[in-house]
Amino acid sequence: MEEIKGTVKSIIFRNEENGYTVLELVDATGDEITAVGALPLASVGERIEITGTWTEHPTYGRQLRAQGCRTLAPATLSALVNYLGSGLIRGVGESTAREIVNTFGTDTLAVLENEPQRLTEVPGIGRLRAAKIAESFAAQRDMRDIMLALQEFGVTVSQAMKLYKAYGALCLAKIRENPYRLIDDIEGIGFLTADKLAQNAGVERDSAFRLKAGLKYTLQWARQEGHTYLPRDILLRIAASERLLGVELLPTERALDELIIGNEVVYQTVGGVDSVFLPRMHFLESDCARRLLQVVNTPSPLLFLDPEKQVTLLERELAISLAPQQREAVVRALTSGALVITGGPGTGKTTILRFIIRIMQNMGLSCELCAPTGRAAKRMTEATGVSARTIHRLLEYGYDGEGFLRDEENPIETDLIIVDEMSMVDVQLMHALLRAVGSNTRLLMVGDADQLPPVGAGNVLRDIIESETVPVMRLTDIFRQAERGMIVENAHRINNGQPPELTSGTEDFLFEEIAAAEDVARRVVGLCMGRVGRLLTQDPRKDVQVLVPMKKGPLGVYALNARIQAAVNPPSRQKRERRQGDVTFREGDKVMQVKNNYKIGWKKARYNGMAEEGIGTFNGDLGTIMRIDPVEQEVEVLFDDERAAVYDFTMLDELALAYAVTVHKSQGSEFPIVVMPLVGGAPSLMTRNLLYTAVTRAREQVYLLGRSRCIYDMAANAQVKKRYSALGTFLRELAPLIGVAG
């Protein structure tokens, strides 16, 4: 073992997830040394002492493999400037660092640590900025000490940063007190990580403490998979398995019984099967059922105004003759307390909505339009000519600091709420909406029940339809083949289990037979770069969206995003970038928000120079990275070409590259052109409803490429992944009690 002191000249490579770093160090003699190892906090300009052993790399030569590292004060003023200006301290760039060192000289670090108020002596630094710099310096110092101590627990760098952010100086004490609390407190830390910490802290493998945590974690995992509960037998089998607890069933059953007795989980029969819920999920579904059935019983003011006559008058005014199904849907929407309208593309849903809205306006009645995502709301506005909002904005999330402002105490004052893209609405969002539906407000739910279920927990639209407790209008007649050509026709062929027509010769639905995955991947990159003239666009970067069934593999999200990014937005001296785990984000990149963030602020520029402000970006929102600031440690993303949101570097796990996205993540969106590579995959994934959902995301053109056999097999594969949800059961059980006919 040797101890080498020196100044960090450059960081050649760093894995943000595990802290593995390759750096260049200049020692006291001026020699440059390459050091490798877990050096997560070493910064350019910093003076450090590394303990390690010398190794000989076959390609890169002699390297010092670090076993330990501690920080030393910078030896020279220039090194001190480099250290402070390296981006370590928020708000301090190279010029500010130079001013600070010019002012305090060799006393700089002592001032930052003990007399930070003196920073106001530096030209250009006021009281507020001085406080910000001091806070950042202190946080880095405290975090450094704690992160070094956390290494004994095997915590990754990114996890350690989240732990420090949540617990601060009490971080180590909290972990030793109860490692399993991290599951609830820290996003990204699941049972396996907490269990590893617990074992390091001496918690017994079969302790009731551990078994209960494993059972609750299994239910939380199920929620992330879309389930609102699990049957008891399945819960016990998953929790006790070698992949999780690795214990016998009997002690796991005893632990579950204790959770039930302690009301930490809810035990109920669903469809004749003993089932277990997290308390929150049980409340959401049961309360949704109660509130929805109350809306069903809401009387319509149009019952006494002859809605049939209103439809006829509007047909004459607009010179449009509704088909019988469309007319029935309009009348039922005007006269029902709650109604579901479901149907595929081209079945006339937009025309129906226009008639409903216009008649409501003619009668002096109000209605609110909303959808789960910003893109879906924008499409709804364009289709109807009436302003639509996201459900979150309709419910005014965050304007009071926490939660939705609109609820039963402050309901939405309108006669009718119309929700589009209902297939995307999960049980949590549905519950928030129903809480805000006033006693005289009716609800119209519009969606395609044959699309994929929501990303979040529950199966709201399908459960409502199958419960037969809420009126449902199913649209089956197709009215828009001529307008939408083969996209609509093939969508319905797929939905009916028939193979799509791949050789029709039309421009709006193209297919290329390519057998090898590598050849398909190269062709996809070529399409995204505009090298293929068959696309109906001059701007593929803007108009093309690649949709794929899976995340991994040569045609998965991860691999395709890396290849497309390298082709359409390669590294450049004019573009800053930031590495997050295995992904490099670069200015100009297309990105997607991958989890709901209800608190992040955004601004939207207006033509009069004023800026509209709001709160929240949501799972599936698409945007472009406009700016990466290494000094302020933030990334600015422009969503939907209008909303600018700023992310702290620690929040970058909320973003993902979006040149290619999974079909699940595309729900509620519509793109000019959809490119979809298909060569094969697991039958449980390569299903009819996944292919149907992908095709219906395209507005102008679908471009499939790969193996035709794979496409035909998907159209024939009606397998639907089982999703355990109880809303339908609760609706059927409550309907007789509330007075709603089954």
Side-chain angles (χ1 to χ4, degrees):
M1 299 288 286
E2 291 202 34
E3 293 181 351
I4 305 294
K5 296 178 182 178
T7 301
V8 180
K9 178 184 178 183
S10 65
I11 303 294
I12 299 171
F13 169 80
R14 172 166 288 153
N15 185 319
E16 299 290 347
E17 187 66 23
N18 59 23
Y20 180 82
T21 303
V22 180
L23 58 80
E24 284 187 339
L25 193 73
V26 179
D27 67 10
T29 65
D31 290 339
E32 293 185 2
I33 296 167
T34 300
V36 301
L39 302 165
L41 298 173
S43 301
V44 173
E46 185 177 28
R47 191 160 173 258
I48 60 176
E49 180 182 77
I50 295 179
T51 303
T53 56
W54 291 104
T55 61
E56 191 71 27
H57 192 280
T59 303
Y60 302 110
R62 197 167 186 243
Q63 297 178 337
L64 181 65
R65 184 164 297 279
Q67 301 296 322
C69 176
R70 68 186 184 96
T71 304
L72 306 171
T76 65
L77 294 182
S78 61
L80 190 54
V81 170
N82 290 336
Y83 172 59
L84 296 180
S86 66
L88 180 74
I89 303 171
R90 232 177 182 187
V92 177
E94 185 179 347
S95 60
T96 302
R98 189 174 292 109
E99 291 287 351
I100 293 173
V101 174
N102 287 341
T103 302
F104 301 116
T106 56
D107 294 331
T108 295
L109 292 180
V111 170
L112 282 167
E113 190 158 347
N114 304 314
E115 301 176 279
Q117 68 276 7
R118 290 186 59 195
L119 285 170
T120 55
E121 298 174 22
V122 179
I125 297 181
R127 196 169 48 175
L128 290 177
R129 191 177 179 197
K132 182 179 179 182
I133 292 172
E135 181 183 359
S136 179
F137 181 79
Q140 287 291 335
R141 182 193 60 214
D142 294 344
M143 185 188 294
R144 181 182 299 270
D145 295 340
I146 289 173
M147 287 178 71
L148 289 173
L150 284 171
Q151 287 184 5
E152 66 179 90
F153 292 104
V155 174
T156 67
V157 175
S158 62
Q159 289 169 343
M161 294 179 73
K162 289 180 179 180
L163 285 168
Y164 179 79
K165 195 171 183 180
Y167 299 139
L170 298 175
C171 187
L172 293 172
K174 296 279 190 183
I175 292 173
R176 291 191 178 100
E177 176 190 343
N178 178 8
Y180 296 103
R181 72 185 303 159
L182 306 186
I183 300 170
D184 295 324
D185 294 352
I186 310 297
E187 182 128 12
I189 292 185
F191 175 80
L192 298 180
T193 301
D195 200 37
K196 183 178 178 182
L197 295 175
Q199 289 178 36
N200 289 338
V203 176
E204 292 294 330
R205 187 172 180 81
D206 61 350
S207 72
F209 200 43
R210 177 174 182 264
L211 301 185
K212 290 178 184 179
L215 285 161
K216 288 195 288 186
Y217 167 70
T218 303
L219 289 173
Q220 290 163 352
W221 163 84
R223 179 182 62 194
Q224 293 169 353
E225 293 292 307
H227 309 294
T228 59
Y229 72 92
L230 284 178
R232 176 190 171 97
D233 290 347
I234 293 177
L235 169 61
L236 289 169
R237 189 168 67 247
I238 294 173
S241 70
E242 286 297 327
R243 295 180 61 185
L244 197 63
L245 292 171
V247 295
E248 297 294 328
L249 274 176
L250 186 59
T252 312
E253 286 186 280
R254 286 198 294 263
L256 177 57
D257 290 340
E258 290 180 22
L259 287 174
I260 295 168
I261 293 170
N263 294 319
E264 295 183 67
V265 296
V266 176
Y267 193 67
Q268 181 171 331
T269 300
V270 178
V273 178
D274 292 342
S275 303
V276 185
F277 296 75
L278 289 170
R280 177 64 178 167
M281 300 312 297
H282 183 271
F283 168 74
L284 288 176
E285 285 202 299
S286 58
D287 203 50
C288 267
R290 179 182 65 83
R291 292 177 182 274
L292 181 56
L293 292 173
Q294 289 175 341
V295 177
V296 171
N297 284 338
T298 303
S300 169
L302 285 175
L303 278 171
F304 310 103
L305 296 176
D306 193 354
E308 289 276 4
K309 180 180 179 182
Q310 302 302 323
V311 172
T312 300
L313 291 173
L314 189 56
E315 282 180 316
R316 292 174 184 168
E317 180 183 340
L318 300 178
I320 295 176
S321 180
L322 295 181
Q325 263 193 355
Q326 291 176 305
R327 171 179 278 268
E328 182 184 354
V330 172
V331 172
R332 293 182 71 181
L334 294 171
T335 56
S336 302
L339 176 70
V340 172
I341 295 179
T342 183
T347 53
K349 293 191 296 291
T350 299
T351 301
I352 290 167
L353 288 182
R354 287 174 181 160
F355 264 72
I356 293 166
I357 294 166
R358 185 66 175 272
I359 292 173
M360 293 283 291
Q361 291 172 338
N362 290 345
M363 296 295 99
L365 300 172
S366 61
C367 60
E368 289 280 358
L369 279 62
C370 62
T373 66
R375 283 177 167 258
K378 190 174 182 179
R379 285 173 45 215
M380 195 179 187
T381 299
E382 293 168 352
T384 63
V386 177
S387 178
R389 293 181 276 179
T390 63
I391 299 174
H392 290 85
R393 294 199 70 193
L394 177 66
L395 299 178
E396 299 178 33
Y397 186 91
Y399 291 100
D400 63 340
E402 289 291 335
F404 291 107
L405 181 60
R406 295 291 186 174
D407 56 20
E408 53 269 87
E409 302 298 325
N410 183 28
I412 299 166
E413 300 293 344
T414 190
D415 294 298
L416 176 66
I417 296 174
I418 303 176
V419 188
D420 199 11
E421 294 288 357
M422 266 297 297
S423 63
M424 294 183 63
V425 177
D426 61 29
V427 67
Q428 183 168 326
L429 187 56
M430 185 64 177
H431 184 258
L433 177 63
L434 288 170
R435 286 184 64 196
V437 175
S439 58
N440 295 313
T441 299
R442 295 171 300 112
L443 184 63
L444 174 59
M445 297 164 280
V446 183
D448 188 344
D450 294 316
Q451 289 188 17
L452 293 170
V455 174
N459 207 354
V460 173
L461 179 60
R462 186 163 291 187
D463 278 359
I464 291 173
I465 293 172
E466 291 179 355
S467 75
E468 299 182 343
T469 60
V470 178
V472 176
M473 185 67 213
R474 298 177 185 271
L475 304 176
T476 56
D477 297 336
I478 304 173
F479 301 101
R480 295 197 301 172
Q481 292 102 318
E483 179 187 338
R484 295 287 293 272
M486 289 304 298
I487 294 178
V488 169
E489 184 170 332
N490 273 338
H492 285 277
R493 287 177 66 88
I494 292 166
N495 200 34
N496 293 329
Q498 300 172 312
E501 175 56 63
L502 300 181
T503 57
S504 64
T506 61
E507 288 188 325
D508 66 336
F509 203 103
L510 301 177
F511 170 70
E512 277 192 73
E513 184 80 49
I514 306 175
E518 176 60 27
D519 294 337
V520 172
R522 280 199 293 266
R523 186 63 162 172
V524 168
V525 173
L527 286 164
C528 293
M529 295 182 70
R531 292 176 178 168
V532 182
R534 299 176 74 189
L535 290 180
L536 299 178
T537 179
Q538 299 299 315
D539 189 357
R541 284 198 60 177
K542 178 182 177 183
D543 294 335
V544 169
Q545 181 60 59
V546 179
L547 300 184
V548 296
M550 61 203 77
K551 293 181 179 179
K552 298 180 180 179
L555 294 177
V557 165
Y558 303 137
L560 284 178
N561 269 319
R563 295 182 71 150
I564 298 170
Q565 180 195 44
V568 305
N569 192 31
S572 166
R573 291 184 178 181
Q574 284 72 47
K575 295 177 181 178
R576 290 174 174 158
E577 55 186 50
R578 169 73 180 181
R579 191 164 182 85
Q580 174 73 15
D582 295 330
V583 178
T584 297
F585 291 108
R586 188 172 297 128
E587 289 175 341
D589 272 338
K590 184 178 182 179
V591 293
M592 174 180 280
Q593 177 79 13
V594 294
K595 61 182 73 173
N596 290 335
N597 184 327
Y598 300 106
K599 296 185 178 181
I600 191 170
W602 53 260
K603 292 184 178 180
K604 181 164 69 174
R606 286 184 167 179
Y607 296 111
N608 59 9
M610 300 294 288
E612 178 186 350
E613 297 186 4
I615 294 175
T617 56
F618 306 106
N619 196 347
D621 285 354
L622 286 169
T624 303
I625 294 179
M626 306 304 293
R627 175 177 60 87
I628 297 177
D629 190 331
V631 175
E632 293 296 327
Q633 298 182 14
E634 61 187 28
V635 175
E636 182 180 353
V637 179
L638 184 66
F639 289 102
D640 295 325
D641 296 326
E642 57 182 14
R643 295 180 293 118
V646 176
Y647 291 73
D648 184 278
F649 277 179
T650 62
M651 299 163 60
L652 289 182
D653 59 352
E654 297 184 11
L655 296 174
L657 293 177
Y659 299 103
V661 302
T662 62
V663 179
H664 287 82
K665 288 290 187 182
S666 74
Q667 287 176 266
S669 297
E670 190 176 67
F671 312 101
I673 299 172
V674 164
V675 170
M676 191 176 189
L678 294 167
V679 296
S684 60
L685 186 64
M686 309 297 283
T687 61
R688 178 186 302 170
N689 65 347
L690 185 137
L691 180 60
Y692 172 73
T693 300
V695 168
T696 56
R697 298 308 90 203
R699 186 167 61 246
E700 297 169 12
Q701 188 178 41
V702 171
Y703 202 121
L704 304 181
L705 57 166
R707 300 174 184 167
S708 55
R709 183 72 266 164
C710 174
I711 297 170
Y712 297 148
D713 287 346
M714 289 180 74
N717 182 9
Q719 181 178 344
V720 176
K721 184 179 178 182
K722 174 65 178 175
R723 182 171 284 214
Y724 294 105
S725 58
L727 178 59
T729 296
F730 292 147
L731 284 167
R732 285 188 292 271
E733 290 176 350
L734 285 173
L737 303 177
I738 294 180
V740 175

